[in-house]
Amino acid sequence: MDHVVTLNAGSSSLKFGLFATKAGEPCVICTGLVDRIGSAEAHISARLSGGETLFDEVSDSIRDHDIALDQVLTLLQQEFPEARIAAVGHRIVHGGPDNDRPVLLTPDSLRSLESLAPFAPLHQPYNLAGAYAAMKRFPDAAQVACFDTAFHRTQSWVNDTFALPGEYYDMGVRRYGFHGLSYDYIAGHLQQTAPDLHAGRVVVAHLGNGASMCAIKDGRSVGSTMGFSPLDGLPMGTRSGQIDPGVLLYLLEQKGMEAAEVSDLLYRKSGLLGLSGLSNDMRALEKAGTTEAGNAIAYFTYRIRREMGSLSAALGGLDALVFTGGIGENSALVRQQACEEMGWLGIDLNSDANQSNATTISSDMSRVQVMVIPTNEELVIARAALNVMS
Ligand code: ADP
């Protein structure tokens, strides 16, 4: 039987999955994570589809992504010696302006994706390192790139562009949007389970360490909060989200900060961590109960409400609001605050359903259906790898 491996490499983490194929559909066998790559406390863990722990170990020898990948692939080959890896699906953050679907990776397509690294310097090089390592390990397997930007390629020019002279658009300075694999999963899930909503106007809030929102009409992206980079829009664990570009000019020109310092500030020291002075982790903030932690959550949910209004305007109204991602799926507090005073848009939460993370958390009176749908980016990658392979 053919098997598919999925890889999702971040700057210090590597998520992976192993899928069997049944009747042409991927069927998960195990998923796992290597995090804190490069530190003395790198951690590698894997769980079977039923939730049983397969592996859980701290290691001081995972110095880089090559070693992490090598350990993951060795682990999978040891635990599942019968698996025949026919395809490896890679999450690639940036597909540029033209890639609107997954593609087979070849030496030529890899080179062209490398040229996009300056657009996503903190993500793209790691994604591609995973692809190179997997090619070496499984030279006969199809290597398939699945882009976070692809889902948004249906957006109109007014959504895509910044108000800069046209030559900047031509050089690639435009809004790309991210988290596309997650939005693709949610749109597909709605198509199967709630076709009326899928055909309507939906806002999806993907709230994790990275956070963004997307307006989807008839299953297609019409607007998103992330733009040129994964920095724009909502505040995140450590990223600032939307910020007046004048602030950056002030820091660079008046305060003498170096570009690298500003980048570090915006990507690693801001967001929930910067506001709370405590943690980037929503669970820790909810537990802390300090004024600063409360303020960080209040800012996060205020920006969600503002973006909800903006994306609903782009859609011409709202039929459904979907929460997903680690925070969206688990934090009743964030969902409750995000929906507070949104009655004008037709949103009314059922507080018991919200507390229990039910699938539908809106009341019977609510004009807008509010839902909690766990995302599954790995499944989208595995499906795409099988499709492209066949
Ligand atoms: P990533 O973007 O790294 O994939 P996740 O989607 O896993 O992130 O989301 C991580 C976030 O989800 C963290 O802020 C974590 O605190 C939050 N989270 C997970 N479980 C809960 C929970 N039960 N309550 C509140 N927040 C949670």
Side-chain angles (χ1 to χ4, degrees):
M1 186 198 290
D2 282 348
H3 289 73
V4 179
V5 169
T6 60
L7 294 176
N8 175 357
S11 55
S12 64
S13 69
L14 174 67
K15 289 183 186 157
F16 59 93
L18 177 69
F19 292 75
T21 49
K22 282 194 187 140
E25 261 289 296
C27 185
V28 66
I29 296 175
C30 93
T31 53
L33 169 73
V34 190
D35 61 359
R36 304 201 199 113
I37 294 173
S39 84
E41 288 178 349
H43 180 214
I44 175 164
S45 61
R47 281 187 313 170
L48 294 172
S49 57
E52 308 93 314
T53 300
L54 180 68
F55 196 82
D56 195 353
E57 206 171 278
V58 173
S59 161
D60 60 3
S61 65
I62 307 183
R63 287 186 301 279
D64 58 32
H65 281 71
D66 270 355
I67 298 174
L69 191 69
D70 197 58
Q71 294 215 359
V72 164
L73 298 177
T74 301
L75 168 72
L76 292 178
Q77 283 179 322
Q78 271 169 5
E79 296 288 336
F80 308 100
E82 79 292 355
R84 200 186 77 80
I85 309 302
V88 184
H90 302 270
R91 180 189 189 181
I92 307 283
V93 160
H94 221 299
D98 300 323
N99 281 307
D100 62 355
R101 65 198 65 194
V103 299
L104 195 64
L105 282 171
T106 61
D108 276 353
S109 61
L110 266 170
R111 263 191 299 280
S112 102
L113 294 175
E114 266 171 13
S115 73
L116 296 170
F119 289 150
L122 300 181
H123 295 89
Q124 194 85 341
Y126 301 105
N127 300 160
L128 297 180
Y132 280 115
M135 273 177 170
K136 244 191 267 163
R137 186 74 170 231
F138 300 110
D140 298 328
Q143 306 285 336
V144 177
C146 304
F147 303 108
D148 255 334
T149 49
F151 186 72
H152 303 292
R153 299 282 52 78
T154 48
Q155 292 181 8
S156 63
W157 175 83
V158 282
N159 241 304
D160 243 16
T161 197
F162 296 107
L164 295 170
E167 70 227 50
Y168 289 89
Y169 185 84
D170 297 339
M171 72 171 74
V173 180
R174 38 179 113 172
R175 298 178 60 87
Y176 293 97
F178 298 90
H179 285 140
L181 300 175
S182 177
Y183 296 129
D184 198 357
Y185 176 80
I186 300 294
H189 184 85
L190 285 178
Q191 191 168 27
Q192 295 207 323
T193 58
D196 289 354
L197 293 180
H198 174 264
R201 301 157 299 180
V202 181
V203 166
V204 181
H206 177 108
L207 311 177
N209 267 319
S212 72
M213 293 168 72
C214 181
I216 303 177
K217 197 176 204 168
D218 204 11
R220 294 153 74 89
S221 170
V222 300
S224 55
T225 59
M226 278 181 175
F228 175 71
S229 73
L231 267 181
D232 203 6
L234 300 178
M236 306 172 217
T238 61
R239 288 175 244 166
S240 63
Q242 189 274 329
I243 189 167
D244 179 343
V247 173
L248 310 185
L249 296 177
Y250 171 75
L251 297 178
L252 291 166
E253 292 174 357
Q254 308 300 326
K255 301 304 281 183
M257 282 174 78
E258 299 290 332
E261 278 179 274
V262 175
S263 169
D264 194 42
L265 172 71
L266 298 180
Y267 274 100
R268 298 201 176 90
K269 295 183 175 156
S270 301
L272 297 174
L273 174 66
L275 286 170
S276 69
L278 180 72
S279 173
N280 63 318
D281 194 286
M282 185 56 77
R283 272 168 301 198
L285 298 184
E286 287 188 14
K287 246 194 233 141
T290 61
T291 305
E292 290 78 10
N295 285 345
I297 298 173
Y299 182 79
F300 184 60
T301 52
Y302 169 71
R303 298 305 307 197
I304 294 170
R305 292 199 298 275
R306 281 189 59 159
E307 295 292 356
M308 213 189 298
S310 159
L311 293 172
S312 299
L315 286 167
L318 187 65
D319 300 309
L321 168 66
V322 178
F323 287 101
T324 193
I327 299 173
E329 292 164 27
N330 296 297
S331 174
L333 176 73
V334 166
R335 292 191 302 255
Q336 181 242 315
Q337 287 193 13
C339 292
E340 234 160 48
E341 293 173 31
M342 295 304 280
W344 63 272
L345 193 55
I347 291 176
D348 185 43
L349 275 200
N350 172 332
S351 122
D352 290 344
N354 184 40
Q355 283 302 329
S356 60
N357 300 331
T359 303
T360 295
I361 58 171
S362 43
S363 74
D364 293 343
M365 307 286 292
S366 190
R367 204 187 44 71
V368 172
Q369 187 162 345
V370 185
M371 305 177 79
V372 178
I373 303 178
T375 195
N376 195 339
E377 290 156 300
E378 273 66 34
L379 186 63
V380 172
I381 298 172
R383 274 192 190 134
L386 281 178
N387 281 343
V388 171
M389 190 181 81
S390 63

